[in-house]
Amino acid sequence: MTERAERDRERQTDRPVDAHGRHSRGVVTAIARWLDDRLGIAQGARKLLRKPFPDHWSFLLGEVALFALVVLFLTGTFLALFYRPDTRPVTYTGPYVPLQGAQVSAAYESVMRLSFEVRAGLLMRQIHHHGANVFMAAVVAHMLRTFFTGSFRKPRELMWVTGIVLVLLGIGAGFTGYSLPDDLLSGTGLQIGYATLLSVPFLGPFLAFVALGGEVPNPDLIGRLHILHVMILPGLLAAVVGAHMLLLFRVRHSQHPGEKRTERNIVGKPMFPTQTMVSAAAFAATVAVLALMGGFYEINPVWLYGPFEPSRVFAPSQPDWYVGWLEGVLRLWPAWSIRVFGIVIPQPFIPGVVIPGLIFALAGAWPWLERRYITRGDEEHNILDDVRDNPLRGAVGAAGVTFLTVMLVAGSNDVIAARFTIALERFTLVLRVLLVAGPPLVGWLTYRWLTRLKRRDIEEAERAGTVRAEQDVA
């Protein structure tokens, strides 16, 4: 009798026997076997559970983004139970004394009620807001790791593109959610967004009508933002994250170089149970950190800003950090209106539409640009690069980070100037110079530094090879 037949016989012997002497099977086992007979899921499940996961902390950045998104969905569902997407005026009669008797929109009143009257409402609001910041931070950190290590190369170009789309959707979801309280700060941001949409030649009024319902403010504004924030953008986020995960399981993980690691294998922990336990711990840690931030770190206190009034502008108005670079480039761009073929293009068009569009287009096309002009190869890459392995890529990345950082600082130029008592005009001029001269300078210095490191590695490897050869001869 073969070994396998012996194991089958032992299992038959150990299986429970019913009143008629027949072997009985558990309900779960029976259902699983019924499904497997028809769908063939057992083989796929075994393959999934045995899938190796690289043993490096940086690969958890993407998981943290996923876990933060789960928290966003859960807390957003709670908030939706109490929020009213309605701009009709009501009289505030809640416990916040400075606003008692004031005429506010129903949307603002519901956010005030969430903050002061609904049990755990303020905590959920703050966890939701902090969750958005952590989600975007994890996505950006994950993309920086992917870029500088060359993880976007074949066969992962589509994963890189879906990551770019996630950043765009995250910015859209953050902006729409930030605007829902209908407070004075969010109204200031909406007016900037409306002016930017309106600056698009020919299509501006139509885009503003579709996205915002027309001029800001208008009775349909909050309702459209609410639909975008709770239905369309979350659905797109879930779909793109699902596509990203499917690609991850389909194309194989990348890995850092190391012993026994080649372009043809993956060395790491099995998905179950080791990696599953690590992911569960990361999920618990993400939830715990967000809960602590929501409980102890105040964010977006709409009662201090007051309800939105078109004739008032909140100062200093500071958006969330992942939108701050967009406001920064608007502040740095001179008040130039361009005339093309007799058509006047308003000032916000280039800094608010063209420059961000070029940045995302360049980032999305980078895998193909690098393969066409730098590496000039079409082979697959599963071993990740050290930054010094590709100095030109590192230089481009450092220049891009510098460019975005200067714009992000410019988004807070008024606050920084006031805090350090420096002239706003002079500080803005310095930032304009840095925006033009900083990226090429940082890129050139980075290229020189990485090239020197790479040359030193080659020389050390050659000396080690010489010593080893001499020892072999001896």
Side-chain angles (χ1 to χ4, degrees):
M1 180 179 293
T2 64
E3 183 179 352
R4 180 176 180 178
E6 180 66 20
R7 288 200 303 269
D8 292 343
R9 189 188 65 80
E10 290 176 356
R11 282 200 295 270
Q12 290 287 336
T13 304
D14 295 338
R15 189 179 300 167
V17 179
D18 61 15
H20 303 286
R22 296 175 300 192
H23 291 293
S24 62
R25 295 181 297 189
V27 175
V28 175
T29 303
I31 293 174
R33 184 163 299 177
W34 186 89
L35 290 172
D36 187 49
D37 289 342
R38 287 153 181 80
L39 303 176
I41 59 176
Q43 185 177 359
R46 281 194 295 269
K47 184 177 180 181
L48 176 63
L49 295 178
R50 289 199 301 267
K51 180 179 176 63
F53 196 94
D55 185 15
H56 195 275
W57 65 268
S58 62
F59 287 92
L60 291 177
L61 291 172
E63 294 198 24
V64 171
L66 177 63
F67 301 149
L69 186 63
V70 171
V71 173
L72 283 171
F73 284 158
L74 294 176
T75 53
T77 302
F78 177 89
L79 298 177
L81 298 175
F82 303 95
Y83 176 73
R84 290 177 59 191
D86 191 349
T87 56
R88 282 177 295 185
V90 298
T91 302
Y92 178 74
T93 57
Y96 188 67
V97 175
L99 285 178
Q100 286 179 349
Q103 289 289 303
V104 300
S105 69
Y108 184 83
E109 191 273 339
S110 67
V111 176
M112 291 292 289
R113 187 157 47 86
L114 257 168
S115 302
F116 292 105
E117 300 176 63
V118 175
R119 182 170 297 179
L122 180 59
L123 177 65
M124 288 294 179
R125 266 197 64 219
Q126 300 204 140
I127 291 177
H128 192 73
H129 204 138
H130 285 305
N133 285 325
V134 170
F135 169 73
M136 292 300 295
V139 169
V140 171
H142 183 55
M143 294 194 69
L144 289 176
R145 181 200 69 83
T146 300
F147 180 85
F148 284 107
T149 60
S151 182
F152 55 80
R153 294 172 295 177
K154 185 181 179 180
R156 300 177 190 82
E157 297 96 328
L158 289 179
M159 294 181 66
W160 172 258
V161 173
T162 54
I164 298 290
V165 175
L166 277 178
V167 173
L168 285 168
L169 292 175
I171 291 175
F175 181 79
T176 53
Y178 192 72
S179 305
L180 288 181
D182 200 27
D183 60 293
L184 187 56
L185 179 60
S186 68
T188 304
L190 275 173
Q191 289 177 321
I192 296 173
Y194 171 68
T196 303
L197 277 179
L198 206 62
S199 69
V200 178
F202 305 110
L203 298 176
F206 175 74
L207 294 176
F209 170 74
V210 172
L212 305 177
E215 295 182 355
V216 174
N218 67 75
D220 298 331
L221 176 61
I222 295 298
R224 291 182 183 242
L225 293 174
H226 186 248
I227 291 174
L228 282 170
H229 186 70
V230 305
M231 296 179 63
I232 298 177
L233 291 173
L236 291 174
L237 275 169
V240 176
V241 167
H244 193 80
M245 298 297 293
L246 284 176
L247 289 170
L248 173 66
F249 284 103
R250 183 68 182 88
V251 300
R252 186 188 295 179
H253 254 299
S254 57
Q255 60 184 345
H256 289 282
E259 187 178 0
K260 298 181 180 179
R261 299 178 183 183
T262 70
E263 295 283 7
R264 300 294 180 187
N265 70 356
I266 298 295
V267 178
K269 303 170 184 174
M271 178 63 70
F272 185 84
T274 309
Q275 183 56 38
T276 302
M277 294 297 105
V278 173
S279 298
F283 177 71
T286 303
V287 174
V289 169
L290 288 176
L292 288 173
M293 293 174 69
F296 293 101
Y297 179 41
E298 182 181 84
I299 189 169
N300 199 19
V302 295
W303 51 91
L304 297 181
Y305 308 142
F308 174 56
E309 297 179 24
S311 59
R312 297 175 58 199
V313 174
F314 183 82
S317 60
Q318 297 296 303
D320 287 322
W321 67 270
Y322 50 87
V323 189
W325 65 278
L326 291 169
E327 182 164 332
V329 70
L330 284 168
R331 294 187 183 192
L332 291 184
W333 193 260
W336 294 341
S337 294
I338 302 174
R339 182 180 293 274
V340 180
F341 300 114
I343 300 172
V344 177
I345 298 177
Q347 184 267 347
F349 179 64
I350 293 179
V353 179
V354 175
I355 292 178
L358 289 175
I359 291 174
F360 282 108
L362 178 63
W366 181 258
W368 291 273
L369 294 175
E370 179 175 305
R371 190 172 63 193
R372 177 68 176 82
Y373 297 106
I374 300 178
T375 57
R376 300 176 186 277
D378 195 38
E379 62 275 12
E380 290 190 6
H381 295 278
N382 296 312
I383 297 292
L384 298 176
D385 283 342
D386 188 281
V387 179
R388 68 187 71 182
D389 293 336
N390 194 323
L392 185 54
R393 181 200 301 147
V396 171
V401 171
T402 304
F403 190 67
L404 293 173
T405 301
V406 173
M407 288 195 292
L408 181 61
V409 173
S412 303
N413 62 345
D414 54 342
V415 177
I416 296 174
R419 177 65 60 89
F420 295 98
T421 60
I422 55 179
L424 178 60
E425 294 78 7
R426 185 175 301 172
F427 183 51
T428 302
L429 179 61
V430 171
L431 290 175
R432 284 173 175 164
V433 173
L434 288 176
L435 188 68
V436 175
L441 177 62
V442 172
W444 178 73
L445 291 174
T446 303
Y447 182 80
R448 292 289 303 272
W449 177 55
L450 294 178
T451 303
R452 182 173 299 178
L453 290 177
K454 185 178 181 180
R455 187 182 304 118
R456 188 188 65 183
D457 291 344
I458 294 173
E459 292 172 353
E460 289 179 352
E462 289 176 349
R463 283 197 297 271
T466 303
V467 172
R468 188 177 301 111
E470 291 175 350
Q471 290 174 343
D472 292 342
V473 172

